[in-house]
Amino acid sequence: MSFQRTLRLMTRYSAWANQLIFEAAGRLPPEEVIRPRAGPFKNIVHTLNHIYVIDQIFQSHLQGRPHGFSARNTADSPALGDLWTAQRAIDEWYVSFSDAAKEGELEEVIRFVFVGGGEGAMTRGEMVLHVVNHTTYHRGFVSGCFYQIPIPPPTTDLPVFLRDAGPELVD
């Protein structure tokens, strides 16, 4: 499998899994998505907002423009529905980026400054893989919050995506 095909698969997987988690969060009692939780983020919505902020930061790096963030999350989070609209749009952007990228372009190194300080350098392909991996990691935290309610979270594993998504999403 080529690197570009891997990125196409992974960005589609991430968008699919985000849809499942946002739809499931939307079915929760409204007070549960903003209920304070133990951990690095305030609540479910704030965790999902962190994912979106990081997606925007790396999108900006890939586009060669400043992102304007001074932290890895915002002080306040938008409403869940508004955040889902924004997340869906950026997920579509990453899918389109992976569709259009050529193998050679994915190897281009981009230098940047981390929000927390320090110099960074990653290839375009590494940035996309980071975004997918980062999102998967924090969706796991959101899934843990579901168990605290207690309501089982959706299953967002890659093998389930491969089984359920259909060839139009995988190829």
Side-chain angles (χ1 to χ4, degrees):
M1 178 183 302
S2 71
F3 190 45
Q4 192 227 9
R5 186 164 186 271
T6 299
L7 291 182
R8 291 182 68 221
L9 170 68
M10 297 311 293
T11 56
R12 283 166 171 73
Y13 157 67
S14 190
W16 170 86
N18 283 342
Q19 180 175 347
L20 291 182
I21 208 78
F22 270 93
E23 287 175 350
R27 289 189 297 272
L28 293 174
E31 66 274 9
E32 288 296 341
V33 296
I34 58 170
R35 183 179 309 283
R37 307 282 175 189
F41 303 102
K42 297 176 186 178
N43 53 49
I44 290 172
V45 175
H46 202 239
T47 304
L48 293 170
N49 190 63
H50 166 69
I51 292 168
Y52 177 63
V53 167
I54 299 304
D55 285 358
Q56 290 178 87
I57 288 170
F58 279 90
Q59 178 190 45
S60 295
H61 293 332
L62 288 164
Q63 293 176 329
R65 61 177 175 80
H67 52 72
F69 289 99
S70 59
R72 290 180 288 273
N73 208 340
T74 56
D76 297 312
S77 301
L80 182 64
D82 294 338
L83 183 57
W84 172 224
T85 298
Q87 184 64 57
R88 189 172 333 131
I90 204 162
D91 285 346
E92 290 170 4
W93 184 89
Y94 277 102
V95 168
S96 294
F97 176 86
S98 69
D99 285 349
K102 305 288 187 253
E103 289 283 340
E105 294 169 341
L106 296 172
E107 297 302 321
E108 179 187 356
V109 174
I110 298 174
R111 300 195 179 287
F112 59 93
V113 176
F114 286 102
V115 170
E119 299 287 321
M122 298 170 73
T123 68
R124 290 178 178 278
E126 289 167 344
M127 286 184 178
V128 175
L129 286 179
H130 167 67
V131 165
V132 171
N133 186 57
H134 174 264
T135 301
T136 300
Y137 176 80
H138 288 295
R139 268 194 316 265
F141 177 80
V142 172
S143 292
C145 292
F146 272 72
Y147 287 114
Q148 294 170 23
I149 294 172
I151 294 174
T155 302
T156 59
D157 295 343
L158 180 62
V160 176
F161 169 72
L162 293 171
R163 180 193 70 198
D164 294 349
E168 68 280 357
L169 288 181
V170 176
D171 290 328

